[in-house]
Amino acid sequence: MIDLKLLQKDFENVSAALMRKKVSPELIDELKARNEALKTAKAAFEEAQAAQNEMSRLFPQYKKEGKDVSELKAKLDANKARIGELQEAQREAEAALDALAMKIPNMPDADVPDGADENDNVEIAKVLEPRRFAFTPKEHWELAETNGWIDFERGVKVAHSRFAVLNDMGARLERALINFMLDFNRERGFTEMSVPELVNSRALEGTGQLPKFEEDLYKTDGEDLYLVPTAEVPLTNLFQDEIIPEEALPVKMTGHTACFRKEAGSAGRDTRGIIRQHQFRKVELVCITRADDSDRVFDEMVQCASDLLKALELPHRLVTLCTGDLGFSAAKTIDLEVWLPGQNTYREISSVSNTRDFQARRAKIRYKEGKKNLLAHTLNGSSLAVGRTMVAIMENFQNEDGSIEIPQVLHKYL
RNA sequence: GGACAGAUGGCAGAGCUGGUUGAAUGCACCGGUCUUGAAAACCGGCGAGGGUCAUACCUCCCAGGGUUCGAAUCCCUGUCUGUCCGCCA
């Protein structure tokens, strides 16, 4: 959630930032008005309550002195009714504000480029030269088929479209990649975690998937549990409602989960292959930092993901997302796009975001600095989407006969 | 799934015959005295959110509702935890 105090104090700049993320001026005005309405309602309610408390305190005194309490009681009864009304009004104001505020995205950082969509993202670096092929490189689904690594039909049979089965070497490669990535991250100081893959709505609100993006989530029937769309949700929310001692920061975690997404709104996109599945595995990085340390940790995470690709000998580029492509919770995001020779293009394989205190305010993640409790900064980044990494390996390491080499670093994992 | 017990500040643990109790006490932690230094001892501080220039003031003793002038304390519902039984990877 954005800082409503800041909105009140520095309306010009906050609204300008929100408008860069395409929040309408009307909505921003409404947010401000509702915030002020709540303040007014709260003041009235608390005033009536203070009066009630004060009068109530007279009660034991009166009794001790043997005085008649009936008049006092009448006054209290009258005020009590008023309190009820004022409380109701306060609650309504609060609910109205909340409903709106929870759907307002984070403010982009000042250095995030303006832009309408992904075409306006800004490339900041290229790492490794794409290999030159003496033949026309094939796309991964063709390679997967000839090598017998992926069974698309049977995935659909047991589940639904956009589900696939990995056979034999495909399954082993997936497992090898997960192990390799987790080890790689661990060596860089990230603590390996294994977390629930079903989470409650409070957690999803904390990281920003709810209330706005419910249609993208798989929900269990009759229970407040959703399948995780990313390990970011359980990992970040591990610290909800906590005040972390300063010396424990930064918290650096890595974990692997399956991720489940309905992909609502992407009908027809990437229907072939395993680029866009309802279920995929991902190794994630999540960090919680002091407010003044998140930029440094952000760079560290980007570097970590890039080095991982480098270790796998996969050419890629780093791209800063423009305001139009930035996610709901992110203040800044750098995508890593891997080169896919079969598709002759770069495709997203990792995405590292700094949400600043946006998620921390929702999930109440704080840290202690001296005597003060401050909102932490939370960051998340894929250490790499495993399925897309397999796609990248297939396409970049293919031979003319359709066989596939395995990157050197994975040999000991297979 | 059945039966019983419980949920209080960072932890432990009182209070639960309803009224300055936001909450005793111990530990931990922070500051100070003492000490060559450390420990011990002693003194002081020490939950969170809102509000205010700062006070005042309001809220929070799992959550929600109720009784009452007044609830951590009584009643109801839910959630979670523990123990025993059943079931099970």
XYZ file of all heavy atoms in Angstrom, chain B residues 28-44:
362
model
P 19.170 -11.989 32.148
O 20.536 -12.543 32.109
O 18.879 -10.792 32.983
O 18.677 -11.690 30.669
C 18.877 -12.660 29.643
C 18.246 -12.172 28.352
O 16.820 -12.020 28.541
C 18.712 -10.802 27.880
O 19.938 -10.879 27.175
C 17.552 -10.369 26.989
O 17.591 -10.994 25.732
C 16.352 -10.902 27.788
N 15.832 -9.886 28.718
C 15.981 -9.838 30.079
N 15.402 -8.806 30.632
C 14.830 -8.126 29.570
C 14.072 -6.945 29.497
N 13.739 -6.213 30.553
N 13.661 -6.531 28.278
C 14.004 -7.272 27.207
N 14.698 -8.405 27.147
C 15.087 -8.784 28.370
P 21.020 -9.711 27.385
O 22.207 -10.072 26.576
O 21.165 -9.432 28.829
O 20.311 -8.454 26.706
C 19.973 -8.488 25.320
C 19.151 -7.272 24.978
O 17.888 -7.315 25.696
C 19.758 -5.943 25.408
O 20.746 -5.499 24.490
C 18.535 -5.044 25.449
O 18.131 -4.637 24.162
C 17.477 -5.990 26.024
N 17.358 -5.877 27.487
C 16.646 -4.785 28.016
O 16.146 -3.952 27.243
N 16.527 -4.661 29.359
C 17.084 -5.573 30.170
N 16.933 -5.415 31.480
C 17.817 -6.693 29.656
C 17.930 -6.795 28.321
P 22.059 -4.759 25.078
O 23.070 -4.745 24.000
O 22.395 -5.317 26.413
O 21.525 -3.278 25.288
C 21.083 -2.494 24.173
C 20.478 -1.205 24.657
O 19.282 -1.491 25.432
C 21.348 -0.412 25.632
O 22.345 0.349 24.974
C 20.308 0.460 26.327
O 19.892 1.536 25.524
C 19.150 -0.536 26.479
N 19.182 -1.233 27.779
C 18.723 -0.550 28.909
O 18.315 0.611 28.780
N 18.730 -1.173 30.112
C 19.177 -2.426 30.209
N 19.174 -2.997 31.416
C 19.668 -3.139 29.076
C 19.649 -2.509 27.889
P 23.745 0.628 25.747
O 24.645 1.256 24.756
O 24.161 -0.592 26.455
O 23.328 1.723 26.828
C 22.981 3.036 26.404
C 22.574 3.868 27.593
O 21.389 3.298 28.203
C 23.567 3.912 28.743
O 24.639 4.813 28.512
C 22.676 4.361 29.888
O 22.380 5.741 29.821
C 21.402 3.560 29.598
N 21.425 2.283 30.336
C 21.688 1.027 29.838
N 21.650 0.096 30.756
C 21.340 0.775 31.928
C 21.164 0.308 33.243
O 21.253 -0.849 33.672
N 20.869 1.343 34.124
C 20.752 2.669 33.776
N 20.467 3.528 34.760
N 20.907 3.121 32.547
C 21.198 2.139 31.679
P 26.062 4.480 29.215
O 27.016 5.493 28.716
O 26.363 3.040 29.052
O 25.774 4.761 30.753
C 25.552 6.090 31.218
C 25.152 6.076 32.667
O 24.035 5.167 32.854
C 26.188 5.563 33.657
O 27.170 6.536 33.958
C 25.313 5.239 34.866
O 24.959 6.401 35.578
C 24.067 4.658 34.187
N 24.114 3.191 34.143
C 24.327 2.375 33.051
N 24.315 1.101 33.350
C 24.079 1.074 34.723
C 23.956 -0.026 35.627
O 24.037 -1.232 35.374
N 23.724 0.400 36.929
C 23.619 1.708 37.320
N 23.402 1.920 38.618
N 23.725 2.743 36.493
C 23.951 2.348 35.225
P 28.611 6.069 34.465
O 29.464 7.274 34.531
O 29.035 4.894 33.662
O 28.299 5.575 35.939
C 27.937 6.509 36.958
C 27.760 5.799 38.276
O 26.685 4.827 38.155
C 28.955 4.969 38.725
O 29.940 5.771 39.362
C 28.308 3.975 39.684
O 28.047 4.540 40.949
C 26.972 3.696 38.968
N 27.030 2.501 38.108
C 26.928 1.259 38.726
O 26.812 1.131 39.929
N 26.982 0.182 37.872
C 27.119 0.220 36.499
O 27.147 -0.839 35.866
C 27.220 1.532 35.941
C 27.178 2.605 36.749
P 31.488 5.459 39.128
O 32.278 6.443 39.896
O 31.716 5.316 37.675
O 31.661 4.044 39.814
C 31.498 3.892 41.228
C 31.535 2.427 41.586
O 30.426 1.746 40.951
C 32.762 1.685 41.073
O 33.882 1.847 41.942
C 32.262 0.254 41.039
O 32.254 -0.345 42.325
C 30.816 0.441 40.568
N 30.671 0.319 39.102
C 30.609 -0.959 38.547
O 30.682 -1.951 39.288
N 30.489 -1.081 37.207
C 30.423 0.005 36.436
N 30.290 -0.156 35.137
C 30.496 1.315 36.992
C 30.616 1.423 38.312
P 35.328 2.176 41.373
O 36.274 2.313 42.510
O 35.201 3.269 40.376
O 35.669 0.835 40.601
C 35.894 -0.372 41.319
C 36.203 -1.479 40.350
O 35.038 -1.756 39.528
C 37.303 -1.161 39.327
O 38.599 -1.336 39.870
C 36.980 -2.164 38.212
O 37.464 -3.445 38.520
C 35.439 -2.178 38.240
N 34.857 -1.267 37.239
C 34.702 -1.754 35.951
O 35.038 -2.872 35.627
N 34.153 -0.861 35.052
C 33.744 0.424 35.303
O 33.270 1.091 34.395
C 33.937 0.858 36.662
C 34.478 0.022 37.555
P 39.762 -0.266 39.623
O 40.950 -0.648 40.380
O 39.125 1.063 39.846
O 40.059 -0.411 38.072
C 40.769 0.625 37.375
C 41.231 0.098 36.032
O 42.251 -0.904 36.240
C 40.163 -0.612 35.224
O 39.394 0.303 34.477
C 40.979 -1.533 34.337
O 41.518 -0.861 33.232
C 42.122 -1.933 35.276
N 41.847 -3.209 35.990
C 41.811 -4.373 35.262
O 41.972 -4.396 34.052
N 41.563 -5.500 35.974
C 41.372 -5.593 37.352
O 41.159 -6.685 37.861
C 41.424 -4.344 38.033
C 41.662 -3.217 37.359
P 37.812 0.011 34.390
O 37.227 1.168 33.674
O 37.310 -0.340 35.724
O 37.704 -1.256 33.444
C 37.946 -1.139 32.039
C 37.902 -2.500 31.401
O 38.932 -3.336 31.992
C 36.624 -3.293 31.647
O 35.599 -2.926 30.738
C 37.097 -4.724 31.420
O 37.208 -5.031 30.048
C 38.490 -4.678 32.035
N 38.482 -5.111 33.438
C 38.572 -4.333 34.559
N 38.533 -5.015 35.674
C 38.393 -6.330 35.247
C 38.282 -7.529 36.001
O 38.299 -7.667 37.225
N 38.134 -8.633 35.163
C 38.106 -8.590 33.799
N 37.962 -9.751 33.181
N 38.215 -7.482 33.085
C 38.355 -6.404 33.872
P 34.101 -2.968 31.252
O 33.267 -2.448 30.148
O 34.031 -2.330 32.581
O 33.826 -4.524 31.422
C 33.621 -5.336 30.272
C 33.608 -6.782 30.663
O 34.804 -7.092 31.421
C 32.487 -7.208 31.602
O 31.269 -7.437 30.902
C 33.045 -8.492 32.186
O 32.954 -9.574 31.282
C 34.517 -8.112 32.365
N 34.765 -7.590 33.721
C 34.941 -6.288 34.108
N 35.123 -6.142 35.405
C 35.053 -7.430 35.894
C 35.165 -7.962 37.189
N 35.382 -7.227 38.278
N 35.048 -9.296 37.339
C 34.824 -10.050 36.250
N 34.702 -9.660 34.977
C 34.834 -8.336 34.868
P 29.891 -7.205 31.653
O 28.824 -7.426 30.661
O 29.963 -5.920 32.374
O 29.851 -8.374 32.717
C 29.657 -9.730 32.313
C 29.824 -10.641 33.499
O 31.123 -10.405 34.109
C 28.843 -10.395 34.638
O 27.616 -11.066 34.422
C 29.602 -10.955 35.832
O 29.531 -12.355 35.891
C 31.032 -10.519 35.517
N 31.361 -9.214 36.113
C 31.469 -8.002 35.472
N 31.776 -7.003 36.275
C 31.874 -7.602 37.518
C 32.171 -7.096 38.793
N 32.445 -5.803 39.030
N 32.176 -7.959 39.831
C 31.906 -9.247 39.600
N 31.619 -9.846 38.442
C 31.607 -8.967 37.434
P 26.255 -10.412 34.939
O 25.166 -11.343 34.582
O 26.217 -9.006 34.473
O 26.433 -10.406 36.510
C 26.413 -11.634 37.236
C 26.740 -11.367 38.683
O 28.061 -10.765 38.772
C 25.835 -10.364 39.377
O 24.650 -10.970 39.864
C 26.719 -9.857 40.501
O 26.781 -10.767 41.577
C 28.080 -9.792 39.803
N 28.337 -8.486 39.197
C 28.255 -8.140 37.872
N 28.554 -6.876 37.633
C 28.837 -6.364 38.885
C 29.219 -5.075 39.321
N 29.387 -4.053 38.490
N 29.418 -4.885 40.645
C 29.248 -5.932 41.471
N 28.903 -7.193 41.186
C 28.705 -7.344 39.868
P 23.286 -10.142 39.927
O 22.246 -11.009 40.518
O 23.065 -9.560 38.579
O 23.610 -8.960 40.920
C 23.799 -9.219 42.322
C 24.168 -7.941 43.032
O 25.436 -7.452 42.520
C 23.203 -6.785 42.789
O 22.084 -6.853 43.648
C 24.091 -5.574 43.070
O 24.262 -5.353 44.458
C 25.418 -6.031 42.460
N 25.544 -5.629 41.053
C 25.291 -6.390 39.933
N 25.500 -5.751 38.805
C 25.905 -4.490 39.206
C 26.275 -3.340 38.480
N 26.295 -3.293 37.143
N 26.631 -2.245 39.184
C 26.614 -2.296 40.527
N 26.286 -3.325 41.321
C 25.951 -4.395 40.587
P 20.650 -6.388 43.103
O 19.637 -6.815 44.086
O 20.538 -6.812 41.687
O 20.762 -4.798 43.137
C 20.986 -4.124 44.374
C 21.359 -2.690 44.107
O 22.619 -2.642 43.368
C 20.404 -1.931 43.196
O 19.267 -1.464 43.895
C 21.286 -0.796 42.696
O 21.458 0.218 43.670
C 22.616 -1.528 42.487
N 22.763 -2.011 41.097
C 23.213 -1.123 40.119
O 23.483 0.041 40.438
N 23.333 -1.543 38.834
C 23.023 -2.805 38.521
N 23.167 -3.172 37.254
C 22.562 -3.740 39.497
C 22.449 -3.301 40.774
P 17.884 -1.317 43.131
O 16.822 -1.082 44.144
O 17.744 -2.431 42.168
O 18.106 0.021 42.317
C 18.268 1.262 43.004
C 18.487 2.371 42.006
O 19.762 2.168 41.327
C 17.488 2.428 40.857
O 16.269 3.047 41.222
C 18.256 3.231 39.827
O 18.284 4.604 40.114
C 19.666 2.637 39.992
N 19.893 1.515 39.065
C 20.226 1.802 37.730
O 20.322 2.992 37.389
N 20.420 0.790 36.864
C 20.304 -0.476 37.278
N 20.508 -1.438 36.388
C 19.962 -0.797 38.629
C 19.764 0.216 39.482
P 14.914 2.534 40.530
O 13.787 3.238 41.184
O 14.920 1.054 40.469
O 15.070 3.096 39.056
C 15.031 4.510 38.815
C 15.391 4.804 37.378
O 16.697 4.248 37.075
C 14.503 4.164 36.323
O 13.269 4.835 36.154
C 15.398 4.285 35.091
O 15.429 5.597 34.580
C 16.760 3.942 35.695
N 17.038 2.505 35.526
C 17.014 1.514 36.494
N 17.296 0.334 36.002
C 17.509 0.551 34.644
C 17.854 -0.351 33.600
O 18.037 -1.567 33.669
N 17.975 0.304 32.378
C 17.791 1.654 32.182
N 17.951 2.092 30.934
N 17.486 2.499 33.145
C 17.364 1.893 34.339
